[in-house]
Amino acid sequence: MNFPSLLDLIDAELENTAHLDGSQRTQDADGRVWTRNAAGAKITPSGSTGITVALLSSDRVVHERIFAASPMSVARIVRTISEHLMGYAN
């Protein structure tokens, strides 16, 4: 699958995550940014075979992780973003 298709899968999963109500999604030239309160997560391609998830706090990168660009990575990406946006409360 290509990056835009994977990004759509990730977005759909995040939109259907009930405890993320109130989160906002924006798009920029590189990918998507999900925010909730002062936490954020930026999802961008990493080369041709990866997806980078940069976890943000007040617009500053606090951690960055690269996942395989595969449908099998979607659940791990969604969990990583959800935990960060929720303040690791889950």
Side-chain angles (χ1 to χ4, degrees):
M1 290 185 96
N2 61 19
F3 178 73
S5 298
L6 290 168
L7 194 53
D8 289 342
L9 289 175
I10 294 165
D11 284 345
E13 289 289 325
L14 289 169
E15 288 171 353
N16 290 321
T17 303
H19 60 271
L20 290 180
D21 286 343
S23 298
Q24 296 181 338
R25 176 185 70 182
T26 57
Q27 185 169 340
D28 64 12
D30 298 325
R32 301 262 203 306
V33 178
W34 280 82
T35 56
R36 186 171 188 269
N37 300 325
K42 184 171 184 170
I43 310 163
T44 57
S46 177
S48 61
T49 61
I51 296 175
T52 299
V53 175
L55 303 177
L56 312 166
S57 178
S58 301
D59 295 328
R60 197 177 90 240
V61 176
V62 293
H63 185 71
E64 194 170 78
R65 190 163 173 203
I66 299 174
F67 297 87
S70 162
M72 293 173 32
S73 297
V74 171
R76 289 190 311 262
I77 292 169
V78 169
R79 184 177 59 246
T80 299
I81 292 171
S82 295
E83 287 174 350
H84 181 69
L85 294 181
M86 291 300 300
Y88 302 94
N90 297 343

